[in-house]
Amino acid sequence: MRKLVFVLVLLMSGVVNAQTTKKSYTLTYEQVDELKKMYKITYNYTEIENEFLDVINRYREEHNLITLVRDTSLDSFVLKQNTYNKEHRLNGHDSDITAEERFKSFKKYKIYGENAIRSGYVACFSENGKCSIAENVFNGWKESVGHNKIMLAKGTYKIGISIMENTNHEIFAVMVLAY
């Protein structure tokens, strides 16, 4: 049976926090499902996406860049790619056409760049000791030179965000920035 390494699912329930333990546990998917049911752990991905917007805008403000505004047409654009990634368990930018072709097909704005990630777990630590999927996604991109460059692109002012989970508790996220 495949195992999934979690950075302490219980911290989401408030049983423990990042200050009291830094241990990680190996749990089966079934155990994770049981814990989520037992502690009524659910995720509202619209809220997580909005939290991501807050996190990236604070980061951009630190670098004297303009605040990004979420755009529903860009959200729809990235939702399509993220759904494809989730269905095919991909961590990438291409689907049936290349990213460049997808960008050209979007006429409303000029797309600067796209970040995509597939994370193997949903539990994570944040500075305040609570799980933050948004911060986990943000930090993954911040630590990558190319992805970080996209998040700090000058002149961009629109963002599209999609964050979702598959049945294996993997997180998929895609964002685009546009002019």
Side-chain angles (χ1 to χ4, degrees):
M1 182 183 322
R2 289 179 34 178
K3 301 261 182 171
L4 182 63
V5 177
F6 270 72
V7 181
L8 202 55
V9 171
L10 292 177
L11 74 90
M12 292 185 293
S13 67
V15 174
V16 296
N17 62 41
Q19 286 73 40
T20 59
T21 183
K22 293 279 184 181
K23 295 179 182 178
S24 64
Y25 296 85
T26 303
L27 302 170
T28 65
Y29 295 128
E30 292 79 16
Q31 289 170 316
V32 171
D33 288 335
E34 191 174 315
L35 284 169
K36 286 175 82 174
K37 288 176 190 168
M38 182 186 315
Y39 291 102
K40 297 179 176 82
I41 298 169
T42 59
Y43 301 109
N44 179 321
Y45 286 98
T46 301
E47 288 178 11
I48 292 168
E49 292 164 354
N50 288 331
E51 179 187 355
F52 178 84
L53 179 61
D54 291 342
V55 171
I56 193 173
N57 276 330
R58 282 194 306 271
Y59 184 55
R60 288 174 59 88
E61 286 173 21
E62 292 170 9
H63 290 85
N64 298 314
L65 296 170
I66 51 179
T67 300
L68 297 170
V69 176
R70 194 161 180 192
D71 182 85
T72 55
S73 60
L74 287 171
D75 281 349
S76 296
F77 181 79
V78 296
L79 175 63
K80 192 173 175 183
Q81 180 64 40
N82 206 25
T83 301
Y84 183 89
N85 289 356
K86 175 184 161 187
E87 288 172 356
H88 296 88
R89 296 191 68 215
L90 298 175
N91 179 25
H93 303 277
D94 295 340
S95 53
D96 50 345
I97 61 173
T98 66
E100 186 175 302
E101 290 172 312
R102 282 188 305 106
F103 293 172
K104 285 180 185 175
S105 73
F106 191 80
K107 304 293 184 198
K108 190 171 180 180
Y109 305 108
K110 180 180 177 196
I111 294 178
Y112 175 81
E114 175 183 69
N115 287 348
I117 192 170
R118 180 181 100 191
S119 178
Y121 53 87
V122 297
C124 54
F125 287 112
S126 67
E127 291 176 11
N128 63 8
K130 294 182 180 175
C131 179
S132 172
I133 292 170
E135 287 180 18
N136 190 36
V137 168
F138 170 80
N139 287 329
W141 287 331
K142 182 180 174 185
E143 293 171 11
S144 163
V145 173
H147 293 98
N148 191 50
K149 179 182 174 186
I150 290 171
M151 292 195 305
L152 294 176
K154 292 181 180 176
T156 56
Y157 64 96
K158 295 287 186 184
I159 187 170
I161 310 164
S162 172
I163 301 175
M164 59 181 65
E165 175 186 7
N166 70 6
T167 57
N168 293 329
H169 307 290
E170 295 170 306
I171 295 296
F172 292 80
V174 176
M175 63 149 266
V176 293
L177 295 187
Y179 301 100

